[in-house]
Amino acid sequence: MFRTALRNVLAHKARLLMTVLAVMLGVAFVSGTLVFTDTFGSAYKNKSAKSFDHVSVAIKPDGGSRDDGQEAKQPDRLTDSLLTRAGKLPGATSTLGSVSGFTALADKDGKLVGGEWGTTGANYFPGKDGKDPRYDFAEGAAPKSAGDIALDSRTADRTGYKVGDTVRYSTDGPVKTAKVSGIFDTDDGSVVAGGSLVVFDNDTARKVLGKSEYDEIDVKAAAGTSETALKASVEKILPKDTEAETGASLKDEQDRMIEQNTSSMSQVLLIFAGIALFVGIFIIANTFTMLVAQRTKELALMRAVGASRRQVTRSVLIEAFIVGLVAAVAGFALGIGVAVGLESLMNAGGASLPDGPLVIGPTTIVTALIIGVVVTMLAAWLPGRRAAKIPPVAAMNSVHASPTMRGLVVRNTIGSLLVALGAVMLFMEDNYVKSGGAATILVGVIVLTPLLSRPFIAGAGPLLKPFGVTGKLARLNSVRNPRRTASTASALMIGLTLITAMTVVAVSMGSAINKMATDSLKADYAVSMANFQPLTPKVHEQLAKLPEVEASSALRTTWGEADGRDTRISGVDPKAFDKLVGLDFTSGSAAGLKGNAALVDEETADAKGLKAGDTVPVKFDDDKTTRLKVAGVYKPNEMIDGLFTPTPIVTPHLSKVQDQQVLLKMKDGASGKAEDAIVKALGDNPAIKIQDKDDISNEVGGAINMLLNMLYGLLAMAILVAVLGVINTLAMSVFERKHEIGMLRAIGLDRAKIKQMVRLESVVISLFGAVLGVGLGLFLGWVAGDSISGTVSTYSMEVPVGRILIFLAIAGVVGVLAAVWPARSAARLNPLQAIKSE
């Protein structure tokens, strides 16, 4: 049976080519993902290991944060005194104190370098040899005074800054200038990921970053002293609320974090690889079903001469094993190229991945081979089982066994039950059950695809009528074998279902954000720090003086409790607040916001039974309580919530007076001139972000669109596999219908008409899959939107008609392109030889 299976594979090489390609692409995506993440993780681990070369024991703060995420006031712990004492411990050879914090660096055009979260400032802490082991200077020297600054080499390359250039930077508001004293190389993870790092001398760093103590003190062990022994000595001098960790444990923790991050990345990519493989299953099953149908006589003869059903099934599975093994080996080789391509693509996008050798682990090799073989054999099992049922008498008749209707009836029954079960689950309250219901309906529709193909293709009849005989033949050929049509269309349907659903959710979410920004904000501009840290009050003082400003208010935010319920408390200017923010009041109004008054969100009010005119006890972060009169109750949203009260009520309870945001209403509205005035008033500060309503919407919407575009690229793999399925089905269908095509040629249908017939058949099948996919995608988008609308009040489903028409047009193009080779093959058949074929 093995020799028979091998001969069959070699005899049908061309027919199995598309199956090999489909499996190969899926395996390539899986193995490429695993190789890339292994390489990526290994390179990061090697880089991060170097950053612990100078650390035998690290002293760090322990705790110091509240449950609500706000920093609690702590006494100084990691001081110069502690650093000196640590350096005098037996077994210690050197100490290093490190500080870091947000530092916005401006490029030569005045724009922020390194992104909102990846722009950092740190200190240069020279040791006994005058060097800081964290930084290896390639040019110039370390900073020595407040007028010096050093840049990492990647930032220097991006910005074009050189030693001696003057740069502008900001840490908490005011813009400062310094000269570049040197350029250094670093293994800092944020820099490698595309951020920037600037280094000050130690005293300047602590001053500009507002650090009264070190973030960490690192102690290096002398030769012959173990990390454990040094840690025991360090623990004897630790202040309260600090802890000591060995360099080895820090490295292990860093390695775990890297593994966790690479694992998350790997999981996302593997999901789409799984989708591609799932689509490939339909192609494999279709191919083997058609091969079995074409070999009815051969299989029946095997049964007649004594082969058992099990042996026939085993023969088909052996064929699948050989095909899967070949595809898996080819896919693994291609996957290595995919990994190299992913690395180059991310580096070209500015990710700056660390250099390192390509890592190909044995687990990746085994996984690739198992996936390729198992997926192929699973997809071929059902056709193999059908092959075993072919009766020996079929050999005497020399005809193909026609598919029975009983199988379709069972299939349609199962599909209908699945759809009904999914529909019931959609009416449940739990979102997870609803998601399961949507997935069940999706599976049910896939099962029902043969049944659905008939009415759709019948409905396409009028569109095919202008093509005359070829249009009619294409329609009849499309419904001749519903299972085959269904399998081919399903492959395309799955990809378009996911694309459509994600597009609907993304477009609807973008509109919800726009509506939220428009409804909630009357202000023309919102001014904040680029990293969303607090602003110095001087910013509001400077902006309020501008002649272009009609109304302004700082949002001075803290946390506390309103009648025992945790809430955000924002101090605002009561005279300007109503001109800057649009609130939907259920009782009261903003007019009463004066003196000891407050505006309370509806959730807090409902939880405590509050209404306008009531008095509510408010406990601030300093544990002091003030009773405030409820001036109004409003409906909160994702942009505005919590309790609002006049600024003088909040200020006395802050350990450090800072503003979270400044809202501005301009006399002539938002304009380029108004924005220029704000920028100029703030000294063209790279640390401060100035946003109008569109900017606020685009900040979230841009992230959604970027994610959506990435998903489009990943799902293109599934669409490509689906295209291979259409080509495969048509090519094998042409081979199967050689006799019929020969007869058509003999009675006068020319080559051009034969090509047109095959192309129309391809387009009909592709559009059937596309329409089904778009319909299911809209349904899944509605289900997902129903869950989102419970948390995003402005969310409502929007159908992106333009994009959906593009998806359908792409499906039509897919049908035309997929038919090129099969149509050409059909047209080139010799009529006489085709008529003689069985």
Side-chain angles (χ1 to χ4, degrees), residues 712-794:
Y712 281 166
L714 294 171
L715 285 172
M717 176 71 76
I719 301 296
L720 177 60
V721 173
V723 172
L724 295 177
V726 177
I727 296 172
N728 195 37
T729 297
L730 289 173
M732 297 187 73
S733 178
V734 166
F735 179 84
E736 190 178 83
R737 288 153 41 199
K738 278 168 64 173
H739 182 81
E740 174 189 322
I741 292 171
M743 290 292 293
L744 291 172
R745 289 292 313 281
I747 61 175
L749 204 64
D750 59 23
R751 288 185 174 182
K753 294 293 185 182
I754 292 291
K755 287 182 179 180
Q756 187 181 71
M757 177 186 72
V758 176
R759 278 197 297 267
L760 289 175
E761 183 180 347
S762 175
V763 170
V764 166
I765 293 173
S766 297
L767 285 178
F768 169 54
V771 170
L772 207 56
V774 167
L776 278 172
L778 291 173
F779 168 73
L780 291 181
W782 170 76
V783 173
D786 187 54
S787 300
I788 294 171
S789 62
T791 54
V792 181
S793 57
T794 54

Side-chain angles (χ1 to χ4, degrees), residues 161-240:
Y161 284 132
K162 294 180 173 57
V163 174
D165 287 351
T166 299
V167 299
R168 300 168 65 255
Y169 71 91
S170 175
T171 55
D172 62 351
V175 179
K176 303 178 181 69
T177 60
K179 283 192 175 181
V180 179
S181 65
I183 296 171
F184 58 87
D185 294 323
T186 179
D187 298 319
D188 184 275
S190 64
V191 174
V192 173
S196 65
L197 177 63
V198 299
V199 170
F200 309 94
D201 70 277
N202 187 49
D203 292 337
T204 302
R206 294 177 68 178
K207 181 179 178 181
V208 299
L209 297 174
K211 302 283 186 175
S212 60
E213 61 175 7
Y214 293 107
D215 297 332
E216 181 175 308
I217 293 176
D218 300 328
V219 187
K220 178 69 175 175
T225 302
S226 68
E227 290 187 351
T228 306
L230 182 58
K231 179 185 176 185
S233 298
V234 168
E235 286 177 339
K236 295 177 182 178
I237 65 168
L238 288 181
K240 184 182 178 182

Side-chain angles (χ1 to χ4, degrees), residues 604-654:
T604 301
D606 289 347
K608 298 299 178 181
L610 300 173
K611 60 182 183 301
D614 290 347
T615 301
V616 56
V618 177
K619 184 180 180 181
F620 287 88
D621 197 33
D622 59 358
D623 291 333
K624 294 180 180 178
T625 301
T626 302
R627 298 191 69 84
L628 301 178
K629 182 180 179 181
V630 179
V633 177
Y634 69 93
K635 293 180 179 179
N637 58 39
E638 286 67 32
M639 295 182 67
I640 295 179
D641 64 356
L643 184 147
F644 293 96
T645 189
T647 302
I649 301 293
V650 174
T651 303
H653 301 281
L654 301 178

Side-chain angles (χ1 to χ4, degrees), residues 495-512 701 704-705 707-713 715 773-774 776-782 784-785 788 795-807 810:
L496 283 176
T497 296
L498 296 171
I499 287 176
T500 303
M502 288 186 295
T503 302
V504 167
V505 172
V507 170
S508 301
M509 196 66 184
S511 297
I704 293 173
N705 287 331
L707 177 63
L708 189 62
N709 290 334
M710 183 181 74
L711 295 177
Y712 281 166
L715 285 172
V774 167
L776 278 172
L778 291 173
F779 168 73
L780 291 181
W782 170 76
I788 294 171
Y795 185 93
S796 62
M797 180 176 168
E798 290 194 13
V799 179
V801 177
R803 296 195 195 189
I804 286 175
L805 291 176
I806 291 173
F807 296 158
I810 289 173

Side-chain angles (χ1 to χ4, degrees), residues 280-499:
I281 286 175
F282 290 93
I283 299 172
I284 300 164
N286 226 11
T287 301
F288 278 94
T289 298
M290 296 172 74
L291 285 174
V292 166
Q294 292 166 10
R295 290 162 48 203
T296 301
K297 183 176 179 179
E298 174 192 331
L299 295 172
L301 281 171
M302 288 173 61
R303 290 291 312 283
V305 296
S308 66
R309 287 188 174 187
R310 184 173 297 177
Q311 286 178 309
V312 172
T313 302
R314 191 183 305 152
S315 172
V316 175
L317 289 177
I318 290 172
E319 290 181 42
F321 173 81
I322 296 169
V323 171
L325 185 62
V326 171
V329 172
F332 176 73
L334 180 61
I336 296 173
V338 169
V340 174
L342 276 173
E343 184 176 3
S344 301
L345 185 64
M346 292 189 73
N347 282 327
S352 301
L353 301 181
D355 296 327
L358 204 65
V359 178
I360 303 174
T363 304
T364 302
I365 299 173
V366 172
T367 301
L369 295 177
I370 289 176
I371 286 176
V373 171
V374 170
V375 166
T376 309
M377 291 183 70
L378 282 176
W381 175 76
L382 191 58
R385 192 165 172 271
R386 288 196 191 119
K389 293 182 178 180
I390 296 175
V393 73
M396 307 300 179
N397 297 331
S398 186
V399 294
H400 302 328
S402 58
T404 64
M405 290 301 296
R406 180 176 176 274
L408 281 176
V409 171
V410 172
R411 178 171 179 161
N412 293 340
T413 303
I414 294 172
S416 300
L417 291 173
L418 286 172
V419 171
L421 175 62
V424 171
M425 293 170 70
L426 287 180
F427 288 97
M428 302 296 179
E429 294 293 330
D430 189 278
N431 284 333
Y432 290 105
V433 176
K434 284 185 178 181
S435 300
T440 304
I441 289 177
L442 176 61
V443 173
V445 171
I446 292 174
V447 175
L448 286 173
T449 310
L451 178 66
L452 298 173
S453 66
R454 290 186 177 278
F456 175 86
I457 295 172
L463 298 176
L464 296 173
K465 197 170 184 179
F467 296 97
V469 173
T470 54
K472 183 177 182 180
L473 288 171
R475 179 175 61 80
L476 294 174
N477 287 333
S478 299
V479 295
R480 176 183 295 182
N481 191 325
R483 290 188 181 90
R484 182 189 304 166
T485 299
S487 296
T488 307
S490 293
L492 188 61
M493 178 196 78
I494 293 166
L496 283 176
T497 296
L498 296 171
I499 287 176

